[in-house]
Amino acid sequence: MDDNKVAYGLIGFGAWGKHHADAIAKADNAKLVAIAARSDASAAAAREMYPDAFVTTDYRELLSRGEVTVVDVVVPSYLHHEVATAVLSAGKHLLLEKPMGVSLGECDSMIDLAKERDRLLCVGHELRLSSMWGKAKEMIEDGFIGTPQYCLVELSRNPYRQGADGWRYDIHRVGNWILEEPIHFFDLARWYLASAGEPKSVYATANSRQPDHPELQDNFSAIMHLDGGAYAVVTQTLSAFEHHQTAKITGTKGALWASWSGAMDRTRHPTFSLRAFDGNEVTTIPIEKPTGELFELEDQIVRVADAIQNGTALHCTAEDGRWSVAMCLAATESIRIGAAAEIDRR
Ligand SMILES: NC(=O)C1=CN([C@@H]2O[C@H](COP(=O)(O)OP(=O)(O)OC[C@H]3O[C@@H](n4cnc5c(N)ncnc54)[C@H](OP(=O)(O)O)[C@@H]3O)[C@@H](O)[C@H]2O)C=CC1
Ligand SMILES: O=C1CO[C@H](CO)[C@@H](O)[C@@H]1O
């Protein structure tokens, strides 16, 4: 029965927004009732693909519609704060893509507003819902590796997409490239090492392939220290091919090694494996459900609808979203000053 489904409005119908639309339309507990795009061309595409949804080029018009319960925001990062603030002010729940904001001031004001309006604010760090990255978390929580001490998250991939009007290659609109993809890995590292302490400081370095655009950094590496001595290495290159991501987490008793490969990030045909060492033997942990950002996005839509309907926990809260921005901005500052930078804790 459609009446029992959570009504989603979607703002942003670009490369990733279209996947959000598809995930909402597929979900058993959600329905897509309204879409806001910016250009007439994107609005026309939305109308054609979702003829039953209300479509507008003015997102404020979408927010004025009473039937919309939750709004999914998938616009370029520099617009997150403006649009998210309007969503919460309109009394709607919010699913906001990463990065939560491009400054901590933006994140703090959204956290405060969501509390004031008593609305859910979920940030789109969907890797937390993965059958494989999530299984590694479960094993760490169950004590399989003992006390976690070290975490490496590494990615090599092809260059970023331009984004509508090239926003992703404009430093004033993207924020920076650490907020684009390494932000997922800072979030994962913090999540995996949660029992070891809180992130404290970061030392980072980066460089660019484009001499005339040193601010767009293709290669990025960081060492993040936590209270209590555990540390994480987050490292990425955009100068490579396909999409290959690895995480290695070691502790006082054992180790985990998770890896994911695909022709690109958005494939439904990846290869992946999780291997585990308990101090004695190495085993391969079966992962039955496919993993990849398209699958996790579908689960994210369901999870947020479930949180609204049944009060279940969100996989990634506004505070988690703020933490990942804080880690990225500390890394940015570290690159600027050439020394370790403290992570701002609210
Ligand atoms: N969690 C994850 O794994 C991922 C997260 N993202 C995040 O999602 C966001 C969008 O990325 P992506 O889809 O790749 O970017 P795109 O540039 O492909 O799409 C952005 C869309 O936003 C639309 N837009 C811009 N301004 C407005 C507005 N005022 N009202 C309504 N729509 C507007 C654009 O409209 P128009 O088409 O008309 O120009 C465009 O369609 C980014 O924040 C990115 O970081 C992206 C990929 C994966
Ligand atoms: O996960 C992701 C895949 O790549 C995109 C860039 O092309 C990022 O925006 C995104 O966070």
Side-chain angles (χ1 to χ4, degrees), residues 121-188:
L121 196 181
C122 179
V123 179
H125 285 299
E126 76 282 348
L127 269 72
R128 288 177 174 227
L129 294 171
S130 151
S131 51
M132 182 181 69
W133 309 114
K135 180 68 185 172
K137 167 73 173 173
E138 202 182 297
M139 292 175 75
I140 295 166
E141 299 283 290
D142 289 347
F144 185 88
I145 63 168
T147 304
Q149 294 186 299
Y150 164 92
C151 172
L152 163 78
V153 188
E154 184 264 340
L155 173 73
S156 67
R157 62 164 287 176
N158 48 25
Y160 287 150
R161 299 165 183 82
Q162 285 284 335
D165 293 343
W167 69 269
R168 211 178 249 107
Y169 282 68
D170 172 2
I171 199 72
H172 302 294
R173 290 185 287 165
V174 72
N176 66 48
W177 279 4
I178 308 169
L179 290 162
E180 266 309 279
E181 186 96 278
I183 193 166
H184 288 298
F185 312 142
F186 277 116
D187 179 63
L188 265 194

Side-chain angles (χ1 to χ4, degrees), residues 276-308:
F277 177 59
D278 64 4
N280 282 312
E281 59 168 347
V282 180
T283 48
T284 297
I285 307 296
I287 305 291
E288 308 297 348
K289 187 172 183 257
T291 173
E293 64 183 31
L294 292 176
F295 304 108
E296 278 90 82
L297 173 58
E298 289 167 12
D299 292 338
Q300 179 168 263
I301 295 297
V302 170
R303 184 79 170 240
V304 170
D306 195 45
I308 292 168

Side-chain angles (χ1 to χ4, degrees), residues 10-18 20 36-43 56-59 73-80 82-83 97-99 124-127 161-168 179-181 184 265-266 293 297 300:
L10 172 66
I11 303 181
F13 198 69
W16 193 228
K18 289 192 177 80
H20 277 252
R38 175 181 51 182
S39 61
D40 291 337
S42 294
T56 174
T57 50
D58 176 1
Y59 73 82
V73 174
V74 198
V75 295
S77 306
Y78 73 104
L79 292 171
H80 285 190
E82 173 199 309
V83 178
E97 260 307 342
K98 52 53 57 180
H125 285 299
E126 76 282 348
L127 269 72
R161 299 165 183 82
Q162 285 284 335
D165 293 343
W167 69 269
R168 211 178 249 107
L179 290 162
E180 266 309 279
E181 186 96 278
H184 288 298
D265 45 5
R266 277 157 220 181
E293 64 183 31
L297 173 58
Q300 179 168 263

